[in-house]
Amino acid sequence: MDYNILLDLVTELGYNLAMAGAETFRIEDSINRILTAYNIESEVFAIPNNLTISIRTADGKSATRMKRIGYHGNNLDAVERYNSLSRRICTEKPAPEEAMQWLKQTGASCIHYTFPKRLLGSFLGASGYAVFFGGSLIDAICAGFCGLLVGITDHFLEKFKTNHFFRTIACAFIMTLTASATNAVGIANNTDMIIIGTLMMLVPGLIFTNAMRDIIFGDTNSGINRIVQVFLIAAAIALGTGVAWSLSASIWGTPVNTPSTVHIWWLQCLSGFIGCCGFCLLFNIHGKGRILCALGGAITWGAYCLAAHLGCGEILCYFLATLVAALYAEIMARIRKYPAISYLVISAFPLIPGAGIYYTTNHLVNGDMGRFADKGTETIAIAGVIAVGILMVSTMVRLWYEWRGHKAKKELR
C-alpha cells in the first residue's frame, strides 16, 4: 500500500469537506473511518482554519500532513457528496490510487448554481422574510431588490479576495442605504421590514449551527472559534447598518415607517417557505432536498405558531420549535442518508431573531441604551434557547445510537 497516496487522499477529502462548510466532527470522523477501514492507526485534529493528520505505517514509521483551511463556503451539496464518498470508500476499500480517482470525480461532479440562480435565491430569501416579519407586498419587492444588490456586491467583492468581515460591512451598508432611499422617494412604507428581510441573508446561520454541533461532539475549540466568527459578523452588520443610517438620516431625514402587520399563521409559514427556498439556492442544495429543507422551515414555524396558540411564552415557543427543527433534520438525514446539517440549517432559519438583531443595532445607534439592553438580552436569550434545543436533540440522537451499538455488541457475544 502507498501510504503517501492514502494520506494525500484523506487530507484532500477533509479539506474539501471543510471548505464546503462541514462540521468539525464530520471532517475528523470521515478521515478516521477511512483510515480505520485500511487498518491504519491515526490521529486527526481539525479546527476551522487548519487540518492535521498523522498515521503510523505497518513498519512503525509516522507520517503527517497539515493543510491550512481558508474561508468556508456554504456548499451543502458538496458536503453531501464528499460524505457519501467517505462511506463508499469505507465499504469498498479500494486501492488508494483508485480512491484518489473517485475523489477527483466527486469534485468534478459537484453542481453549482449559476450566478443568476444565486441572485434569484437572494431575491426570494430577502422578499420572503420581509413578509414573514410583517412587511407588505411592496416591502417584499423592495427587499428582494436590496437582496439582489447584496448578492451582486458579495459576489464581486469575493472575486477580489475581500475578507468576509469587510464584505458584510459593505453589504449591510448598501442594503440599509437602498432601503432608506425607497422610503424617501415614497415607494416603500416600512424601511424596517425591508432591512430585516434582507439582513437575514447576512446572518451566519451555518456557522452558528456548526458551532453548536461542534460543541456537542466535544470540539470545543472549533465551537468557540465559530461563535467568535458569529459575533464578528454581527458586529460587521451593526457597523454597516449604523453608518448607512447616519448617512441616510443626513440626506433624507429619519424614515417614517407604517406599523408592521402580524400576518396570519399560514401566510407566515408560506413566506417562510419561500424565504427558505431562496436560502436553498444560496446554500447550493439540489434535487428533492431543496423542497424538503424548505418544508422543514414551514413545519418549524408551524410548530412555533401552534405553541403560541396554546399559550406558551415566547422563549418556550422558540425552544419547542427548535426541537421540531432538529428532530426533523435528524429524521430526514436517516431516511435520505444525507448529513443532517443541510436540513437543520434551513429548517431553523425562521427562528433566527433577525428582527431582534436589527432593533438591537437600531437602539444602539440611536443611543437608547435602555431599550438596547432589553432587546439585546432578549435576542441573546432566543439564540441561547435555539442552541440548547439543537444540542438537546443532537445529544439524545447520539445517545440512542450509542445505546443501540452497545446492545448489538452484547447480542453478538
Side-chain angles (χ1 to χ4, degrees), residues 331-355:
I331 291 173
M332 294 308 302
R334 268 64 188 181
I335 292 176
R336 302 198 68 226
K337 306 300 182 184
Y338 287 140
I341 188 64
S342 300
Y343 300 98
L344 179 59
V345 70
I346 301 298
S347 297
F349 246 103
L351 303 178
I352 293 175

Side-chain angles (χ1 to χ4, degrees), residues 273 287-297 328 332 336 343 347:
F273 174 82
K288 295 179 181 178
R290 288 178 299 186
I291 301 300
L292 293 174
C293 288
L295 181 62
Y328 176 83
M332 294 308 302
R336 302 198 68 226
Y343 300 98
S347 297

Side-chain angles (χ1 to χ4, degrees), residues 239-320:
L239 183 58
T241 53
V243 173
W245 275 326
S246 299
L247 180 60
S248 62
S250 65
I251 299 174
W252 302 298
T254 303
V256 179
N257 292 313
T258 58
S260 59
T261 303
V262 180
H263 296 300
I264 193 170
W265 69 270
W266 63 263
L267 183 56
Q268 293 178 5
C269 291
L270 177 60
S271 58
F273 174 82
I274 293 172
C276 287
C277 286
F279 282 104
C280 286
L281 296 176
L282 295 175
F283 283 75
N284 201 40
I285 300 173
H286 295 264
K288 295 179 181 178
R290 288 178 299 186
I291 301 300
L292 293 174
C293 288
L295 181 62
I299 292 172
T300 297
W301 193 251
Y304 177 95
C305 294
L306 177 61
H309 178 72
L310 295 175
C312 298
E314 183 181 36
I315 296 298
L316 181 57
C317 288
Y318 273 101
F319 177 70
L320 294 176

Side-chain angles (χ1 to χ4, degrees), residues 10 13 25-40 42 44 83 86-87 89-91 93 398 401-402:
V10 293
L13 177 63
F25 85 88
R26 187 176 307 282
I27 297 167
E28 294 182 344
D29 185 64
S30 298
I31 294 171
N32 277 321
R33 284 178 180 271
I34 291 174
L35 293 174
T36 300
Y38 287 92
N39 298 315
I40 295 175
S42 63
V44 183
N83 185 74
S86 68
R87 292 174 180 269
I89 293 174
C90 290
T91 302
K93 291 179 281 190
R398 186 170 186 177
Y401 278 96
E402 288 287 342

